[in-house]
Amino acid sequence: MGVVETVAVASVAAFATAWLSAVAGFGGGVLLLPVFTALFGLRTAVPVLTLTQVWSNGSRVWLNRREVDWPLVRWFALGALPTAVLGGLALAQAPAGPLKRLLGVLLIVVVVRRRRRTRPRRPTERTFGVVGAASGLGSALLGSVGPLTAPFFLAYGLARAAYIGTEAASALTMHGAKIAAYGAGALLDRRVLLFGLALTPATLLGAWAGRRTVGRISDRVFVALVEGGLVVAGLLFLVGF
């Protein structure tokens, strides 16, 4: 496949997953990683995915900026920044397969527990420091673990625009640290930067289209969509995507 064809296929995938992320608040990176891996190879796929997620998350923050819970973002960033740097530097040596399967089990268990508990306990703001630390490490090694954070943001009481904007702002701090670590580890070469730039229009357009979609669904449907996405993401991790 030539460069033009590769960019075209990747752009379609980037649009679709940016739309999904804008609607559900997560999931785009999980689905996009296997596509990018097939197109670019793993060592290129993870940094390219991170660059597209910067645009996707940045646009979701802007579109939902009035609803973002900034104190929650600060606690998340406090835990995520150092572990994202460490994970980014360790990307070349880390055994990703077993970690992905463990995450898959955890995601499915979380949804089952949410369904069995009528009143899930609301996490404190400080809890998100721990959530950020786990997410920073996992995201740097796997490209995306957005589904892992979703249950905590939901249990805190965020929904729709507040959930999407706060989750995106939290992820954005983590992606910035990852990019710095990838640069230090010589993973951000010219090819990665060019692909990241070429996929920007499709990513922004998908986020805009998703923002228009999410305003038309109820909170109940929204939560069901997020939980369904958690199960799908868990299954993808279990089968090794």
Side-chain angles (χ1 to χ4, degrees):
M1 186 181 296
V3 174
V4 175
E5 291 83 358
T6 299
V7 171
V9 172
S11 294
V12 171
F15 171 85
T17 54
W19 176 87
L20 174 64
S21 293
V23 172
F26 73 94
V30 174
L31 298 175
L32 200 54
L33 181 58
V35 177
F36 279 8
T37 301
L39 292 173
F40 309 130
L42 183 61
R43 286 181 59 83
T44 299
V46 172
V48 170
L49 176 60
T50 299
L51 292 175
T52 61
Q53 287 180 317
V54 167
W55 291 111
S56 178
N57 283 287
S59 60
R60 299 205 311 269
V61 171
W62 174 255
L63 292 170
N64 300 282
R65 61 192 179 280
R66 294 184 179 88
E67 306 294 334
V68 174
D69 188 327
W70 291 109
L72 215 60
V73 174
R74 286 193 287 271
W75 277 107
F76 185 96
L78 187 65
L81 291 176
T83 57
V85 171
L86 290 174
L89 294 175
L91 175 62
Q93 291 80 26
L99 182 56
K100 283 186 178 182
R101 291 180 178 85
L102 175 61
L103 287 174
V105 172
L106 290 176
L107 291 175
I108 294 172
V109 168
V110 163
V111 174
V112 172
R113 287 194 62 192
R114 275 184 57 82
R115 285 293 170 179
R116 294 187 64 180
R117 294 177 62 183
T118 56
R119 292 184 179 180
R121 187 170 60 183
R122 185 175 186 264
T124 65
E125 287 186 348
R126 293 187 178 185
T127 301
F128 284 85
V130 179
V131 174
S135 300
L137 180 62
S139 181
L141 294 174
L142 302 175
S144 175
V145 291
L148 184 63
T149 66
F152 296 94
F153 286 108
L154 289 175
Y156 190 76
L158 301 179
R160 300 181 67 164
Y163 165 72
I164 292 171
T166 303
E167 191 277 338
S170 300
L172 197 59
T173 64
M174 181 171 59
H175 294 321
K178 287 162 55 181
I179 288 174
Y182 294 153
L187 293 175
L188 289 181
D189 56 21
R190 182 172 175 269
R191 183 168 179 259
V192 168
L193 295 174
L194 287 176
F195 277 128
L197 181 62
L199 296 175
T200 297
T203 301
L204 295 177
L205 186 59
W208 173 81
R211 170 60 174 164
R212 292 180 63 86
T213 301
V214 76
R216 301 177 182 178
I217 61 177
S218 67
D219 287 347
R220 182 177 180 180
V221 172
F222 176 82
V223 172
L225 179 63
V226 173
E227 290 183 337
L230 286 172
V231 174
V232 172
L235 293 173
L236 288 174
F237 277 132
L238 283 174
V239 299
F241 277 4

